[in-house]
Amino acid sequence: MGEEFPWIKILLECRDEVRRRISFLPMISNKPTQQPRLGAGGDLLEQPDLEAEKAIVDTLRKHLASFTLISEESGILEYGSTPDKCYVTTDPIDGSTNMYRGIPFYATSIAVSKEPTLKSVHSALVADLHHNVVYTSQKDKGSTRNEKRIFPSQLDTLTEAVIGADLNTYRVDQVSSRLTPLIRETKHVRHLGANALELCYVADGTTDAFVDIRGKLRTTDIAAAHLILNEAGAIITTPDGDPFQARLDPRQRVSFVASGNKKNHQAILKLIRAKKEQEC
Ligand code: IPD
Ligand code: CA
């Protein structure tokens, strides 16, 4: 089952089913705000994330006899007798904390590939579940936002740029000190809390770049956005400027720099590298 299959139609059906199944959440249905519920270990209860994953699996199983699910929630699950012919990589809810807190920025991310590698992804969807905005892409066919072709920013000076930088607590001392020169040079810095969607903002020029050098993000978060970025004509590399490749596996962690154009990309890499070299 390859690119000729109506993948985008099926991925949109998955998105609709996720929306339907999480619509009971008070912060989504516009009911009075409640405190987020905490589990025994102090973590937010994950049931809506699992429900979103179930929505995706149930929808896929209506259309596909066999596939391997690679999910941030349940890990790797095989369905049917030939699971090595089709891989579906998903983060059912990217931006869970935003969703639980009622911050309107969270997404469903789904990528389809013939192998469990980033480079073999051929169909992808990232759906902003709050704003009813959907990004899709198919290999060699470009990327779209609500069905309109998208292209990245051509702004080539950091002094006017809007750049996303993930500083979510993890090795914060090293990460923040390495990003300091970039933050100093950049006019506007953001972190909105759902990295798949933030990469789509680079793909359609809403922002000029997005940087996550923590080594914490899972490939499940970016499998779909990676195709959307590449097909839109944006650039993504490792923080050292090497080609960005990864296995699709919830245990695999990544670091990257994504930008709208070469000039900004080189400028960002140089600022990040300069700090790394100083520290060596
Ligand atoms: C999170 C978001 C967030 C990033 C975290 C991710 P999740 O995804 O993408 O922006 O800083 O590292 O884990 O946990 O909500 O799927
Ligand atoms: Ca998630």
Side-chain angles (χ1 to χ4, degrees), residues 9-269:
K9 197 170 154 278
I10 294 167
L11 298 185
L12 287 167
E13 211 178 304
C14 290
R15 182 271 318 254
D16 293 344
E17 193 56 18
V18 169
R19 282 169 65 91
R20 199 180 68 74
R21 296 215 202 162
I22 62 169
S23 59
F24 72 90
L25 285 171
M27 52 292 273
I28 291 170
S29 57
N30 259 341
K31 292 191 185 128
T33 311
Q34 292 176 358
Q35 285 298 313
R37 292 186 301 149
L38 299 182
D43 284 348
L44 287 164
L45 281 177
E46 287 173 346
Q47 199 230 326
D49 299 71
L50 286 169
E51 198 53 43
E53 180 185 275
K54 197 165 176 313
I56 293 167
V57 170
D58 290 349
T59 308
L60 291 172
R61 293 192 79 184
K62 280 203 296 187
H63 297 278
L64 300 175
S66 190
F67 60 94
T68 297
L69 184 82
I70 303 171
S71 171
E72 186 179 287
E73 296 305 323
S74 297
I76 301 177
L77 297 174
E78 295 183 345
Y79 294 92
S81 57
T82 55
D84 57 338
K85 297 270 183 291
C86 174
Y87 293 83
V88 178
T89 302
T90 184
D91 182 3
I93 305 289
D94 178 39
S96 302
T97 301
N98 282 351
M99 182 177 82
Y100 288 114
R101 292 290 176 127
I103 300 169
F105 197 80
Y106 44 90
T108 281
S109 163
I110 318 174
V112 189
S113 57
K114 286 185 181 160
E115 288 166 25
T117 59
L118 210 47
K119 70 170 190 286
S120 71
V121 171
H122 58 73
S123 304
L125 167 143
V126 174
D128 177 333
L129 295 169
H130 187 87
H131 297 101
N132 215 1
V133 166
V134 65
Y135 294 88
T136 60
S137 184
Q138 287 202 282
K139 188 119 188 143
D140 300 327
K141 292 190 181 155
S143 296
T144 65
R145 178 189 190 273
N146 289 356
E147 294 181 28
K148 288 208 177 90
R149 273 297 285 271
I150 53 170
F151 300 94
S153 160
Q154 291 313 309
L155 184 77
D156 62 4
T157 154
L158 292 179
T159 48
E160 290 306 317
V162 179
I163 289 189
D166 194 326
L167 279 173
N168 242 346
T169 51
Y170 184 69
R171 297 195 300 127
V172 71
D173 294 338
Q174 292 109 299
V175 171
S176 60
S177 88
R178 232 178 129 193
L179 288 179
T180 303
L182 173 65
I183 295 172
R184 203 176 286 130
E185 292 287 316
T186 304
K187 184 148 188 193
H188 307 279
V189 179
R190 302 281 185 274
H191 182 222
L192 306 172
N195 291 11
L197 211 42
E198 293 188 73
L199 285 171
C200 292
Y201 275 21
V202 177
D204 75 358
T206 302
T207 59
D208 301 292
F210 184 72
V211 177
D212 185 347
I213 60 166
R214 300 170 301 154
K216 181 182 184 225
L217 203 71
R218 296 181 170 93
T219 46
T220 43
D221 288 71
I222 57 147
H226 180 258
L227 182 70
I228 293 166
L229 265 177
N230 276 333
E231 284 292 322
I235 301 164
I236 180 164
T237 68
T238 68
D240 289 324
D242 295 322
F244 186 68
Q245 291 165 4
R247 256 190 93 67
L248 295 174
D249 185 316
R251 288 158 299 194
Q252 172 91 46
R253 309 281 180 155
V254 288
S255 285
F256 56 83
V257 172
S259 333
N261 61 72
K262 256 191 192 151
K263 194 167 170 206
N264 257 354
H265 199 80
Q266 289 310 327
I268 294 169
L269 292 179

